[in-house]
C-alpha cells in the first residue's frame, strides 16, 4: 500500500522522506501510538498530513476526527469534527 501511495503522491513521499531522514525522532514517534492503533493503520497519519500541509490547529483536528471516527470514536468523533468546524468558521470568518 505504501508503495502505491508513493507512486500516486510523489510530493507527499518527498516531504515525509525528507523529514524522516532529517529527524529520526519523528520516524520513531510515528511508529509509536499510545492507546490504540487506529493511526498506525493509516497510510498517512493525520499529523503527517497536517504538518506537510501547514494546517492550523482547527484544520488538523478536523482531519484527525474525520479519519478516525470509524475506528475509534464513532459519532462522538464526528461531533468533535463539527465543533472544530464551527470554531474554525468563527475564528476565520467571524460567524
Amino acid at each position: 500500500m505504501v508503495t502505491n501511495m508513493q507512486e500516486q503522491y510523489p510530493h507527499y513521499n518527498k516531504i515525509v522522506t525528507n523529514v524522516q531522514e532529517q529527524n529520526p525522532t519523528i520516524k520513531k514517534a510515528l511508529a509509536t501510538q499510545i492507546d490504540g492503533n487506529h493511526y498506525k493503520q493509516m497510510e498517512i497519519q493525520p499529523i503527517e498530513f497536517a504538518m506537510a500541509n501547514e494546517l492550523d490547529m482547527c484544520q488538523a483536528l478536523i482531519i484527525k476526527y474525520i479519519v478516525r471516527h470509524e475506528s475509534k470514536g464513532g459519532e462522538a468523533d464526528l461531533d468533535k469534527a463539527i465543533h472544530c468546524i464551527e470554531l474554525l468558521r468563527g475564528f476565520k470568518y467571524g460567524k
Side-chain angles (χ1 to χ4, degrees):
M1 265 182 146
V2 173
T3 302
N4 187 27
M5 181 63 65
Q6 292 170 348
E7 291 170 4
Q8 288 180 337
Y9 305 102
H11 177 70
Y12 164 79
N13 183 44
K14 182 179 176 184
I15 291 170
V16 171
T17 300
N18 287 343
V19 168
Q20 290 180 356
E21 286 176 357
Q22 291 173 13
N23 191 338
T25 302
I26 292 174
K27 185 174 184 175
K28 182 180 177 186
L30 289 171
T32 303
Q33 182 176 338
I34 309 301
D35 192 27
N37 65 350
H38 45 281
Y39 297 127
K40 287 175 59 176
Q41 294 176 348
M42 298 177 183
E43 288 189 48
I44 302 172
Q45 293 187 34
I47 190 68
E48 293 175 273
F49 181 83
M51 295 301 289
N53 289 285
E54 299 179 2
L55 301 184
D56 64 34
M57 183 70 166
C58 288
Q59 294 168 326
L61 288 172
I62 292 163
I63 298 296
K64 169 187 167 174
Y65 292 131
I66 292 294
V67 300
R68 78 174 199 185
H69 82 277
E70 291 180 327
S71 60
K72 186 174 183 195
E75 190 174 357
D77 274 349
L78 294 178
D79 290 338
K80 291 174 185 178
I82 291 167
H83 177 76
C84 290
I85 291 169
E86 291 168 345
L87 289 169
L88 179 62
R89 177 182 278 164
F91 284 121
K92 295 281 184 174
Y93 304 104
K95 296 181 179 182

